[in-house]
Amino acid sequence: MQADDSWLPLFPLKTVLFPDGILPLKVFETRYMDMVRECMRRNTPFGVVLIKSGQEVGAAAEPEAVGCLAHMSDWDMEKLGVMTLRIRGGKRFRIVDTRVLPDQRLEARVEMIPADDDIPVSDIHVACAKTLKIVIDDVNAKGRTEHGESFISPFSQPIQLDSASWVANRWCEILPIPLKARQKLLELEDAQSRLSIIHQYLLQHKIL
């Protein structure tokens, strides 16, 4: 696919966003407040990328080559100077070129990575989906007990336990694995490969 001529604003973070993933963000740096406002004004996403080297604050960090579009689904500013966002992961992209703006924000020209084929969970991986449902139900039940009506599930809706892509991506988000490993899973071309690795991990750690 050809790279788009426009520049995508990037938000380098010490986390990995997956398609259909939900990520709460607190934005307090002026440069990112400006970026978020501009995206809101234009109704466009920004890109979330894992930091390869550098920090979230200060000078522009070096990003990993593959990231995920972030669509804002909700925002608030309960405290002056701190904006809270709830973003949802969109399509994956590969960085073709980057530039650093005077305020140390990163922008990139990117090429979009085709979305995973919407294939069902195979028979061998059904246990992954069933166990994920147990985890989701448990997290949601505890959340409702602790927070009542104000609780918002950290899992994207609708729940798609029959989708190999959705199941694989949710496991990638919640497993206690290093960020580099999470990034490698994001970069895998297809959901079936991602889910196969997850399946082996769950077996090895006696989760299945």
Side-chain angles (χ1 to χ4, degrees):
M1 298 179 67
Q2 293 297 316
D4 194 308
D5 288 336
S6 62
W7 291 89
L8 176 72
L10 298 182
F11 205 143
L13 295 168
K14 290 186 176 178
T15 191
V16 180
L17 179 65
F18 284 82
D20 287 322
I22 301 297
L23 180 65
L25 274 181
K26 283 191 176 181
V27 183
F28 54 87
E29 284 193 87
T30 301
R31 56 179 172 169
Y32 291 121
M33 296 273 275
D34 292 342
M35 181 195 79
V36 167
R37 288 194 187 99
E38 179 64 13
C39 288
M40 287 178 175
R41 186 184 69 81
R42 298 171 56 193
N43 194 28
T44 56
F46 54 87
V48 167
V49 283
L50 176 65
I51 293 174
K52 187 175 183 179
S53 64
Q55 301 297 324
E56 291 183 350
V57 297
E62 180 187 0
E64 293 285 353
V66 173
C68 187
L69 293 181
H71 299 270
M72 288 174 278
S73 59
D74 196 14
W75 70 276
D76 198 359
M77 189 177 286
E78 296 179 357
K79 187 165 62 174
L80 187 63
V82 180
M83 183 182 289
T84 57
L85 302 176
R86 181 176 168 87
I87 62 175
R88 181 171 180 142
K91 291 182 178 180
R92 295 175 298 155
F93 61 81
R94 183 172 287 103
I95 293 175
V96 176
D97 191 17
T98 60
R99 68 181 181 185
V100 180
L101 302 183
D103 62 359
Q104 292 299 296
R105 272 194 298 123
L106 271 176
E107 292 186 338
R109 281 199 173 101
V110 304
E111 59 181 13
M112 303 311 300
I113 297 173
D116 291 325
D117 291 333
D118 189 18
I119 59 174
V121 173
S122 63
D123 291 343
I124 195 172
H125 297 143
V126 166
C128 293
K130 290 182 176 179
T131 306
L132 178 62
K133 184 179 187 302
I134 294 171
V135 172
I136 291 174
D137 289 346
D138 184 57
V139 169
N140 288 342
K142 288 180 178 177
R144 284 190 290 268
T145 299
E146 293 178 10
H147 303 286
E149 293 297 321
S150 64
F151 173 72
I152 300 175
S153 176
F155 300 99
S156 61
Q157 301 294 323
I159 303 297
Q160 301 174 57
L161 295 172
D162 57 345
S163 165
S165 176
W166 197 91
V167 170
N169 289 340
R170 301 297 75 78
W171 274 119
C172 289
E173 293 165 350
I174 63 179
L175 287 179
I177 57 177
L179 284 174
K180 289 288 187 183
R182 221 181 296 277
Q183 177 68 25
K184 292 300 182 186
L185 287 167
L186 177 72
E187 295 174 5
L188 288 175
E189 288 297 323
D190 64 284
Q192 199 63 43
S193 298
R194 210 172 299 128
L195 191 53
S196 293
I197 292 173
I198 295 295
H199 183 249
Q200 287 301 315
Y201 179 97
L202 296 176
L203 287 175
Q204 289 170 4
H205 290 79
K206 303 187 186 306
I207 298 173
L208 294 182

